[in-house]
PDB file of all heavy atoms in Angstrom:
ATOM      1  N   VAL A   1     118.573  92.434 101.682  1.00  0.00           N
ATOM      2  CA  VAL A   1     117.407  91.648 101.299  1.00  0.00           C
ATOM      3  C   VAL A   1     116.175  92.438 101.716  1.00  0.00           C
ATOM      4  O   VAL A   1     116.011  92.743 102.903  1.00  0.00           O
ATOM      5  CB  VAL A   1     117.379  90.276 101.992  1.00  0.00           C
ATOM      6  CG1 VAL A   1     116.125  89.503 101.589  1.00  0.00           C
ATOM      7  CG2 VAL A   1     118.633  89.472 101.665  1.00  0.00           C
ATOM      8  N   HIS A   2     115.329  92.802 100.748  1.00  0.00           N
ATOM      9  CA  HIS A   2     114.071  93.461 101.090  1.00  0.00           C
ATOM     10  C   HIS A   2     113.026  92.365 101.200  1.00  0.00           C
ATOM     11  O   HIS A   2     112.497  91.879 100.199  1.00  0.00           O
ATOM     12  CB  HIS A   2     113.679  94.494 100.048  1.00  0.00           C
ATOM     13  CG  HIS A   2     112.660  95.469 100.565  1.00  0.00           C
ATOM     14  ND1 HIS A   2     112.164  96.510  99.802  1.00  0.00           N
ATOM     15  CD2 HIS A   2     112.041  95.572 101.765  1.00  0.00           C
ATOM     16  CE1 HIS A   2     111.293  97.205 100.523  1.00  0.00           C
ATOM     17  NE2 HIS A   2     111.197  96.643 101.713  1.00  0.00           N
ATOM     18  N   ALA A   3     112.751  91.957 102.420  1.00  0.00           N
ATOM     19  CA  ALA A   3     111.926  90.778 102.687  1.00  0.00           C
ATOM     20  C   ALA A   3     110.470  91.178 102.880  1.00  0.00           C
ATOM     21  O   ALA A   3     109.996  91.359 104.006  1.00  0.00           O
ATOM     22  CB  ALA A   3     112.454  90.052 103.915  1.00  0.00           C
ATOM     23  N   LEU A   4     109.740  91.306 101.783  1.00  0.00           N
ATOM     24  CA  LEU A   4     108.332  91.702 101.824  1.00  0.00           C
ATOM     25  C   LEU A   4     107.426  90.476 101.948  1.00  0.00           C
ATOM     26  O   LEU A   4     107.754  89.400 101.457  1.00  0.00           O
ATOM     27  CB  LEU A   4     107.974  92.488 100.562  1.00  0.00           C
ATOM     28  CG  LEU A   4     108.721  93.801 100.337  1.00  0.00           C
ATOM     29  CD1 LEU A   4     108.400  94.354  98.954  1.00  0.00           C
ATOM     30  CD2 LEU A   4     108.359  94.807 101.410  1.00  0.00           C
ATOM     31  N   SER A   5     106.289  90.645 102.608  1.00  0.00           N
ATOM     32  CA  SER A   5     105.254  89.604 102.706  1.00  0.00           C
ATOM     33  C   SER A   5     105.806  88.277 103.219  1.00  0.00           C
ATOM     34  O   SER A   5     105.441  87.208 102.716  1.00  0.00           O
ATOM     35  CB  SER A   5     104.582  89.405 101.343  1.00  0.00           C
ATOM     36  OG  SER A   5     103.980  90.580 100.893  1.00  0.00           O
ATOM     37  N   LEU A   6     106.662  88.332 104.215  1.00  0.00           N
ATOM     38  CA  LEU A   6     107.273  87.108 104.724  1.00  0.00           C
ATOM     39  C   LEU A   6     106.268  86.069 105.217  1.00  0.00           C
ATOM     40  O   LEU A   6     106.448  84.876 104.970  1.00  0.00           O
ATOM     41  CB  LEU A   6     108.265  87.430 105.848  1.00  0.00           C
ATOM     42  CG  LEU A   6     109.684  87.783 105.403  1.00  0.00           C
ATOM     43  CD1 LEU A   6     110.577  87.982 106.617  1.00  0.00           C
ATOM     44  CD2 LEU A   6     110.259  86.697 104.516  1.00  0.00           C
ATOM     45  N   PRO A   7     105.218  86.456 105.939  1.00  0.00           N
ATOM     46  CA  PRO A   7     104.287  85.417 106.412  1.00  0.00           C
ATOM     47  C   PRO A   7     103.718  84.576 105.273  1.00  0.00           C
ATOM     48  O   PRO A   7     103.553  83.364 105.416  1.00  0.00           O
ATOM     49  CB  PRO A   7     103.200  86.219 107.126  1.00  0.00           C
ATOM     50  CG  PRO A   7     103.893  87.453 107.584  1.00  0.00           C
ATOM     51  CD  PRO A   7     104.858  87.782 106.472  1.00  0.00           C
ATOM     52  N   GLY A   8     103.419  85.210 104.149  1.00  0.00           N
ATOM     53  CA  GLY A   8     102.870  84.482 103.012  1.00  0.00           C
ATOM     54  C   GLY A   8     103.880  83.577 102.349  1.00  0.00           C
ATOM     55  O   GLY A   8     103.514  82.583 101.717  1.00  0.00           O
ATOM     56  N   LYS A   9     105.156  83.882 102.492  1.00  0.00           N
ATOM     57  CA  LYS A   9     106.203  83.086 101.852  1.00  0.00           C
ATOM     58  C   LYS A   9     106.707  81.957 102.741  1.00  0.00           C
ATOM     59  O   LYS A   9     107.000  80.865 102.265  1.00  0.00           O
ATOM     60  CB  LYS A   9     107.372  83.995 101.463  1.00  0.00           C
ATOM     61  CG  LYS A   9     107.027  85.030 100.409  1.00  0.00           C
ATOM     62  CD  LYS A   9     108.190  85.982 100.176  1.00  0.00           C
ATOM     63  CE  LYS A   9     107.829  87.052  99.157  1.00  0.00           C
ATOM     64  NZ  LYS A   9     108.915  88.054  98.992  1.00  0.00           N
ATOM     65  N   THR A  10     106.859  82.235 104.021  1.00  0.00           N
ATOM     66  CA  THR A  10     107.488  81.262 104.911  1.00  0.00           C
ATOM     67  C   THR A  10     106.509  80.480 105.774  1.00  0.00           C
ATOM     68  O   THR A  10     106.844  79.396 106.246  1.00  0.00           O
ATOM     69  CB  THR A  10     108.500  81.965 105.835  1.00  0.00           C
ATOM     70  OG1 THR A  10     107.819  82.942 106.638  1.00  0.00           O
ATOM     71  CG2 THR A  10     109.578  82.672 105.018  1.00  0.00           C
ATOM     72  N   ALA A  11     105.320  81.014 106.006  1.00  0.00           N
ATOM     73  CA  ALA A  11     104.352  80.325 106.863  1.00  0.00           C
ATOM     74  C   ALA A  11     102.937  80.571 106.385  1.00  0.00           C
ATOM     75  O   ALA A  11     102.102  81.119 107.120  1.00  0.00           O
ATOM     76  CB  ALA A  11     104.527  80.781 108.313  1.00  0.00           C
ATOM     77  N   PRO A  12     102.609  80.159 105.146  1.00  0.00           N
ATOM     78  CA  PRO A  12     101.272  80.459 104.624  1.00  0.00           C
ATOM     79  C   PRO A  12     100.152  79.803 105.414  1.00  0.00           C
ATOM     80  O   PRO A  12      99.069  80.374 105.544  1.00  0.00           O
ATOM     81  CB  PRO A  12     101.331  79.936 103.178  1.00  0.00           C
ATOM     82  CG  PRO A  12     102.455  78.945 103.170  1.00  0.00           C
ATOM     83  CD  PRO A  12     103.453  79.474 104.146  1.00  0.00           C
ATOM     84  N   LYS A  13     100.380  78.609 105.950  1.00  0.00           N
ATOM     85  CA  LYS A  13      99.334  77.927 106.718  1.00  0.00           C
ATOM     86  C   LYS A  13      98.963  78.734 107.966  1.00  0.00           C
ATOM     87  O   LYS A  13      97.788  79.019 108.212  1.00  0.00           O
ATOM     88  CB  LYS A  13      99.793  76.528 107.125  1.00  0.00           C
ATOM     89  CG  LYS A  13      98.751  75.739 107.934  1.00  0.00           C
ATOM     90  CD  LYS A  13      99.261  74.355 108.278  1.00  0.00           C
ATOM     91  CE  LYS A  13      98.212  73.538 109.032  1.00  0.00           C
ATOM     92  NZ  LYS A  13      97.899  74.132 110.358  1.00  0.00           N
ATOM     93  N   THR A  14      99.973  79.088 108.749  1.00  0.00           N
ATOM     94  CA  THR A  14      99.718  79.870 109.960  1.00  0.00           C
ATOM     95  C   THR A  14      99.115  81.224 109.621  1.00  0.00           C
ATOM     96  O   THR A  14      98.167  81.680 110.277  1.00  0.00           O
ATOM     97  CB  THR A  14     101.022  80.061 110.751  1.00  0.00           C
ATOM     98  OG1 THR A  14     101.514  78.777 111.145  1.00  0.00           O
ATOM     99  CG2 THR A  14     100.792  80.906 111.993  1.00  0.00           C
ATOM    100  N   SER A  15      99.651  81.864 108.583  1.00  0.00           N
ATOM    101  CA  SER A  15      99.158  83.187 108.200  1.00  0.00           C
ATOM    102  C   SER A  15      97.703  83.135 107.751  1.00  0.00           C
ATOM    103  O   SER A  15      96.911  84.017 108.079  1.00  0.00           O
ATOM    104  CB  SER A  15     100.027  83.761 107.074  1.00  0.00           C
ATOM    105  OG  SER A  15     101.359  83.893 107.504  1.00  0.00           O
ATOM    106  N   GLY A  16      97.348  82.090 107.006  1.00  0.00           N
ATOM    107  CA  GLY A  16      95.958  81.937 106.575  1.00  0.00           C
ATOM    108  C   GLY A  16      95.023  81.713 107.748  1.00  0.00           C
ATOM    109  O   GLY A  16      93.908  82.246 107.776  1.00  0.00           O
ATOM    110  N   GLU A  17      95.484  80.931 108.720  1.00  0.00           N
ATOM    111  CA  GLU A  17      94.661  80.684 109.909  1.00  0.00           C
ATOM    112  C   GLU A  17      94.472  81.961 110.723  1.00  0.00           C
ATOM    113  O   GLU A  17      93.405  82.179 111.311  1.00  0.00           O
ATOM    114  CB  GLU A  17      95.300  79.589 110.749  1.00  0.00           C
ATOM    115  CG  GLU A  17      95.222  78.209 110.077  1.00  0.00           C
ATOM    116  CD  GLU A  17      96.082  77.165 110.766  1.00  0.00           C
ATOM    117  OE1 GLU A  17      96.869  77.544 111.670  1.00  0.00           O
ATOM    118  OE2 GLU A  17      95.966  75.976 110.396  1.00  0.00           O
ATOM    119  N   ILE A  18      95.496  82.823 110.745  1.00  0.00           N
ATOM    120  CA  ILE A  18      95.382  84.109 111.448  1.00  0.00           C
ATOM    121  C   ILE A  18      94.345  84.991 110.759  1.00  0.00           C
ATOM    122  O   ILE A  18      93.524  85.646 111.408  1.00  0.00           O
ATOM    123  CB  ILE A  18      96.751  84.813 111.504  1.00  0.00           C
ATOM    124  CG1 ILE A  18      97.718  84.035 112.397  1.00  0.00           C
ATOM    125  CG2 ILE A  18      96.599  86.247 112.010  1.00  0.00           C
ATOM    126  CD1 ILE A  18      99.162  84.512 112.297  1.00  0.00           C
ATOM    127  N   ILE A  19      94.365  85.014 109.429  1.00  0.00           N
ATOM    128  CA  ILE A  19      93.383  85.790 108.664  1.00  0.00           C
ATOM    129  C   ILE A  19      91.970  85.294 108.979  1.00  0.00           C
ATOM    130  O   ILE A  19      91.055  86.080 109.241  1.00  0.00           O
ATOM    131  CB  ILE A  19      93.669  85.699 107.151  1.00  0.00           C
ATOM    132  CG1 ILE A  19      94.965  86.443 106.806  1.00  0.00           C
ATOM    133  CG2 ILE A  19      92.496  86.277 106.341  1.00  0.00           C
ATOM    134  CD1 ILE A  19      95.436  86.229 105.376  1.00  0.00           C
ATOM    135  N   LYS A  20      91.796  83.980 108.957  1.00  0.00           N
ATOM    136  CA  LYS A  20      90.481  83.389 109.254  1.00  0.00           C
ATOM    137  C   LYS A  20      90.008  83.769 110.644  1.00  0.00           C
ATOM    138  O   LYS A  20      88.861  84.201 110.842  1.00  0.00           O
ATOM    139  CB  LYS A  20      90.553  81.879 109.073  1.00  0.00           C
ATOM    140  CG  LYS A  20      89.282  81.133 109.488  1.00  0.00           C
ATOM    141  CD  LYS A  20      89.440  80.512 110.864  1.00  0.00           C
ATOM    142  CE  LYS A  20      88.199  79.775 111.318  1.00  0.00           C
ATOM    143  NZ  LYS A  20      88.276  79.293 112.709  1.00  0.00           N
ATOM    144  N   GLU A  21      90.867  83.620 111.639  1.00  0.00           N
ATOM    145  CA  GLU A  21      90.482  83.917 113.015  1.00  0.00           C
ATOM    146  C   GLU A  21      90.120  85.388 113.181  1.00  0.00           C
ATOM    147  O   GLU A  21      89.156  85.731 113.882  1.00  0.00           O
ATOM    148  CB  GLU A  21      91.620  83.542 113.965  1.00  0.00           C
ATOM    149  CG  GLU A  21      91.785  82.055 114.187  1.00  0.00           C
ATOM    150  CD  GLU A  21      90.568  81.414 114.835  1.00  0.00           C
ATOM    151  OE1 GLU A  21      89.909  82.083 115.674  1.00  0.00           O
ATOM    152  OE2 GLU A  21      90.247  80.261 114.493  1.00  0.00           O
ATOM    153  N   THR A  22      90.876  86.266 112.542  1.00  0.00           N
ATOM    154  CA  THR A  22      90.609  87.701 112.640  1.00  0.00           C
ATOM    155  C   THR A  22      89.250  88.042 112.036  1.00  0.00           C
ATOM    156  O   THR A  22      88.457  88.795 112.619  1.00  0.00           O
ATOM    157  CB  THR A  22      91.718  88.502 111.944  1.00  0.00           C
ATOM    158  OG1 THR A  22      92.983  88.172 112.524  1.00  0.00           O
ATOM    159  CG2 THR A  22      91.482  89.993 112.075  1.00  0.00           C
ATOM    160  N   ILE A  23      88.978  87.483 110.861  1.00  0.00           N
ATOM    161  CA  ILE A  23      87.693  87.744 110.204  1.00  0.00           C
ATOM    162  C   ILE A  23      86.533  87.191 111.024  1.00  0.00           C
ATOM    163  O   ILE A  23      85.494  87.851 111.193  1.00  0.00           O
ATOM    164  CB  ILE A  23      87.699  87.151 108.780  1.00  0.00           C
ATOM    165  CG1 ILE A  23      88.648  87.964 107.893  1.00  0.00           C
ATOM    166  CG2 ILE A  23      86.287  87.122 108.188  1.00  0.00           C
ATOM    167  CD1 ILE A  23      88.885  87.372 106.522  1.00  0.00           C
ATOM    168  N   PHE A  24      86.695  86.012 111.585  1.00  0.00           N
ATOM    169  CA  PHE A  24      85.639  85.430 112.410  1.00  0.00           C
ATOM    170  C   PHE A  24      85.409  86.264 113.667  1.00  0.00           C
ATOM    171  O   PHE A  24      84.261  86.401 114.127  1.00  0.00           O
ATOM    172  CB  PHE A  24      85.981  83.984 112.772  1.00  0.00           C
ATOM    173  CG  PHE A  24      85.528  82.973 111.746  1.00  0.00           C
ATOM    174  CD1 PHE A  24      85.693  83.222 110.391  1.00  0.00           C
ATOM    175  CD2 PHE A  24      84.946  81.787 112.120  1.00  0.00           C
ATOM    176  CE1 PHE A  24      85.288  82.309 109.430  1.00  0.00           C
ATOM    177  CE2 PHE A  24      84.524  80.853 111.178  1.00  0.00           C
ATOM    178  CZ  PHE A  24      84.693  81.111 109.831  1.00  0.00           C
ATOM    179  N   ASN A  25      86.472  86.820 114.218  1.00  0.00           N
ATOM    180  CA  ASN A  25      86.320  87.701 115.385  1.00  0.00           C
ATOM    181  C   ASN A  25      85.452  88.912 115.046  1.00  0.00           C
ATOM    182  O   ASN A  25      84.582  89.315 115.819  1.00  0.00           O
ATOM    183  CB  ASN A  25      87.686  88.175 115.877  1.00  0.00           C
ATOM    184  CG  ASN A  25      88.473  87.081 116.568  1.00  0.00           C
ATOM    185  OD1 ASN A  25      87.931  86.038 116.928  1.00  0.00           O
ATOM    186  ND2 ASN A  25      89.761  87.311 116.754  1.00  0.00           N
ATOM    187  N   ILE A  26      85.709  89.496 113.876  1.00  0.00           N
ATOM    188  CA  ILE A  26      84.933  90.666 113.451  1.00  0.00           C
ATOM    189  C   ILE A  26      83.476  90.285 113.236  1.00  0.00           C
ATOM    190  O   ILE A  26      82.555  90.994 113.671  1.00  0.00           O
ATOM    191  CB  ILE A  26      85.528  91.280 112.166  1.00  0.00           C
ATOM    192  CG1 ILE A  26      86.950  91.795 112.417  1.00  0.00           C
ATOM    193  CG2 ILE A  26      84.646  92.421 111.652  1.00  0.00           C
ATOM    194  CD1 ILE A  26      87.688  92.220 111.157  1.00  0.00           C
ATOM    195  N   LEU A  27      83.241  89.164 112.581  1.00  0.00           N
ATOM    196  CA  LEU A  27      81.871  88.718 112.318  1.00  0.00           C
ATOM    197  C   LEU A  27      81.100  88.483 113.620  1.00  0.00           C
ATOM    198  O   LEU A  27      79.910  88.829 113.722  1.00  0.00           O
ATOM    199  CB  LEU A  27      81.896  87.433 111.481  1.00  0.00           C
ATOM    200  CG  LEU A  27      82.304  87.598 110.012  1.00  0.00           C
ATOM    201  CD1 LEU A  27      82.534  86.232 109.367  1.00  0.00           C
ATOM    202  CD2 LEU A  27      81.276  88.390 109.234  1.00  0.00           C
ATOM    203  N   GLU A  28      81.770  87.908 114.602  1.00  0.00           N
ATOM    204  CA  GLU A  28      81.110  87.670 115.884  1.00  0.00           C
ATOM    205  C   GLU A  28      80.827  88.976 116.625  1.00  0.00           C
ATOM    206  O   GLU A  28      79.758  89.157 117.224  1.00  0.00           O
ATOM    207  CB  GLU A  28      81.986  86.746 116.733  1.00  0.00           C
ATOM    208  CG  GLU A  28      82.039  85.319 116.221  1.00  0.00           C
ATOM    209  CD  GLU A  28      82.999  84.445 116.989  1.00  0.00           C
ATOM    210  OE1 GLU A  28      83.561  84.926 118.010  1.00  0.00           O
ATOM    211  OE2 GLU A  28      83.209  83.288 116.583  1.00  0.00           O
ATOM    212  N   GLU A  29      81.778  89.911 116.572  1.00  0.00           N
ATOM    213  CA  GLU A  29      81.581  91.199 117.219  1.00  0.00           C
ATOM    214  C   GLU A  29      80.453  91.991 116.584  1.00  0.00           C
ATOM    215  O   GLU A  29      79.699  92.685 117.268  1.00  0.00           O
ATOM    216  CB  GLU A  29      82.879  92.010 117.171  1.00  0.00           C
ATOM    217  CG  GLU A  29      83.980  91.467 118.054  1.00  0.00           C
ATOM    218  CD  GLU A  29      85.310  92.160 117.832  1.00  0.00           C
ATOM    219  OE1 GLU A  29      85.329  93.183 117.100  1.00  0.00           O
ATOM    220  OE2 GLU A  29      86.323  91.705 118.367  1.00  0.00           O
ATOM    221  N   GLU A  30      80.352  91.875 115.248  1.00  0.00           N
ATOM    222  CA  GLU A  30      79.288  92.591 114.540  1.00  0.00           C
ATOM    223  C   GLU A  30      77.958  91.835 114.539  1.00  0.00           C
ATOM    224  O   GLU A  30      76.976  92.303 113.961  1.00  0.00           O
ATOM    225  CB  GLU A  30      79.740  92.863 113.097  1.00  0.00           C
ATOM    226  CG  GLU A  30      80.959  93.769 112.971  1.00  0.00           C
ATOM    227  CD  GLU A  30      80.673  95.180 113.449  1.00  0.00           C
ATOM    228  OE1 GLU A  30      79.533  95.650 113.242  1.00  0.00           O
ATOM    229  OE2 GLU A  30      81.581  95.811 114.019  1.00  0.00           O
ATOM    230  N   LYS A  31      77.968  90.617 115.146  1.00  0.00           N
ATOM    231  CA  LYS A  31      76.763  89.807 115.342  1.00  0.00           C
ATOM    232  C   LYS A  31      76.101  89.401 114.018  1.00  0.00           C
ATOM    233  O   LYS A  31      74.869  89.472 113.857  1.00  0.00           O
ATOM    234  CB  LYS A  31      75.751  90.523 116.245  1.00  0.00           C
ATOM    235  CG  LYS A  31      76.334  90.882 117.618  1.00  0.00           C
ATOM    236  CD  LYS A  31      75.276  91.443 118.536  1.00  0.00           C
ATOM    237  CE  LYS A  31      75.878  91.912 119.848  1.00  0.00           C
ATOM    238  NZ  LYS A  31      76.701  90.911 120.542  1.00  0.00           N
ATOM    239  N   PHE A  32      76.911  88.968 113.061  1.00  0.00           N
ATOM    240  CA  PHE A  32      76.351  88.470 111.797  1.00  0.00           C
ATOM    241  C   PHE A  32      75.963  86.998 111.969  1.00  0.00           C
ATOM    242  O   PHE A  32      76.567  86.257 112.725  1.00  0.00           O
ATOM    243  CB  PHE A  32      77.380  88.614 110.675  1.00  0.00           C
ATOM    244  CG  PHE A  32      77.546  90.033 110.214  1.00  0.00           C
ATOM    245  CD1 PHE A  32      78.715  90.724 110.507  1.00  0.00           C
ATOM    246  CD2 PHE A  32      76.541  90.687 109.530  1.00  0.00           C
ATOM    247  CE1 PHE A  32      78.878  92.048 110.092  1.00  0.00           C
ATOM    248  CE2 PHE A  32      76.693  91.987 109.094  1.00  0.00           C
ATOM    249  CZ  PHE A  32      77.866  92.671 109.388  1.00  0.00           C
TER     250      PHE A  32
END
């Protein structure tokens, strides 16, 4: 089984929240 993009398939809610948190971290660090 070539299991690609598992977070998007099995846990999209958690994965989306991780994306959001990561982007917000960058925005805060860059002081936007």
Side-chain angles (χ1 to χ4, degrees):
V1 179
H2 198 179
L4 298 172
S5 300
L6 274 184
K9 295 174 182 176
T10 61
K13 180 179 182 295
T14 298
S15 299
E17 290 169 352
I18 293 169
I19 291 171
K20 174 259 179 186
E21 286 298 326
T22 303
I23 290 172
F24 273 43
N25 288 346
I26 297 171
L27 288 170
E28 290 175 6
E29 290 171 9
E30 297 294 325
K31 303 186 185 307
F32 286 109

